[in-house]
Amino acid sequence: MGTAPATARPHGGVVSTTGLGGLTLGGGMGHLARRCGLSCDNLIAADVVTAEGTLVSCDRDRNPDLFWALRGGGGNFGVVTSLAYRLHPVDVIFGGITCYPLDGDVARAWREMNAAAPVELNVILVLALGPEEPFLPERWHGRPVCAAFTCFSGSPAEDEKVLARLDGLGPVIGRFMDRMPYPLVNTLFDEQLPPGLYHYWKGNFSRGLSDGAIAAHMEFGATMPSMESDTAIFPIDGACHEVGPEETAFAYRDAAFSHSFGGTWTDPADSERNIAWTRAYDRALRPHTQEGGYVNFMDADDQDRVRANYRQNYDRLRAVKRRYDPGNVFRLNQNIVP
């Protein structure tokens, strides 16, 4: 894309080790979603090597069917070798983590705050066991907490208002908040998620955050199976809703929240327990969420949900798949069968 100003940024995720390519192909939720849309909404061109070994360039004018499918359709269509993005002027943000006791009242207050917050304020609600960090008193280490994972990309003059909003969610038991370069906010969980961990995830979308969904989150948030496990509820309103449900492969433009949850553990002997916890959590949450979920939060045994995950766009995605990968070479994913 040439030389960009130092303050121009592509829209990334929430963990520094997440690849921007895979993030974008699945949709791309992150700290700037309410202000800038999904990562896939900011993709303007891509180069793809197909199953036949052909290099195909695509954008709105060249191979527009492939360009449409890449924006949410995952790695179903080829090896994406380059991506070009629309950039956004984001430099220093006000961000960090504020912790509260695990309490449904905190989640309800967060729900109301999110509905009234400016799009520059993105707060992800995280349920976890209290991290062993200096900003959290030792008595809360390893105990279930709610955390507001915050990124505010507005004016520094509004920082105190952001803190007031966070204070209104419940009794604050620990906080780390500061002005920092935007890329730094994506590193705050890195020490909690080193390489080599075992993961089993699920994900669901919802139009709202019902009291029933909050009750399910509180029940399973109180029984987190490991220090590395967590739940993250992402707000995906604001600019995410300015794109139509059929403009990209990402179909759930009416969803206001994305629920990500699952076990993460270090010892393979703990696999059965973590997987069972995650599946029970999923069963408890399903009555309160939409049929489909975010493909980047799906696990290998979620193939029966692929059609629901793509909703009205599934048949069009199958047609693109038949054109670019009729032999289903690229199938180790949330697979769209040609």
Side-chain angles (χ1 to χ4, degrees), residues 93-177:
I93 59 92
F94 184 51
I97 302 168
T98 304
C99 290
Y100 315 84
L102 182 73
D103 192 316
D105 286 344
V106 174
R108 281 182 281 273
W110 173 79
R111 176 182 65 192
E112 301 307 316
M113 182 200 73
N114 189 75
V119 295
E120 293 84 3
L121 178 58
N122 200 94
V123 181
I124 301 166
L125 184 66
V126 176
L127 313 182
L129 299 180
E132 296 178 358
E133 296 289 347
F135 70 84
L136 188 66
E138 187 174 349
R139 67 180 181 277
W140 286 99
H141 292 177
R143 292 177 60 185
V145 299
C146 291
F149 191 16
T150 301
C151 176
F152 175 61
S153 56
S155 167
E158 301 294 313
D159 288 357
E160 290 301 319
K161 291 183 180 180
V162 170
L163 289 176
R165 290 177 186 268
L166 296 173
D167 288 345
L169 300 185
V172 175
I173 58 174
R175 171 178 284 158
F176 168 75
M177 289 282 294

Side-chain angles (χ1 to χ4, degrees), residues 254-306:
D254 60 338
F257 301 102
S258 178
H259 309 247
S260 163
F261 52 95
T264 298
W265 62 100
T266 58
D267 186 344
D270 292 332
S271 296
E272 184 175 347
R273 178 171 63 90
N274 281 268
I275 291 171
W277 177 83
T278 306
R279 288 174 173 168
Y281 197 162
D282 187 43
R283 288 192 297 270
L285 195 59
R286 285 286 188 96
H288 310 290
T289 56
Q290 294 171 280
E291 185 180 7
Y294 182 42
V295 293
N296 284 354
F297 292 155
M298 296 291 163
D299 223 298
D301 58 357
D302 282 313
Q303 293 299 317
D304 61 337
R305 297 186 70 187
V306 172

Side-chain angles (χ1 to χ4, degrees), residues 16 18 30 44 47 75 85 101 121 125 138-139 169 184 193 196 202 253 255 258 276 299 304 317 334:
S16 71
T18 298
I44 58 176
D47 293 327
Y85 292 91
L121 178 58
L125 184 66
E138 187 174 349
R139 67 180 181 277
L169 300 185
L184 186 59
L193 297 169
K202 298 293 179 187
R253 297 296 179 165
S258 178
D299 223 298
D304 61 337
L317 284 164
Q334 295 299 304

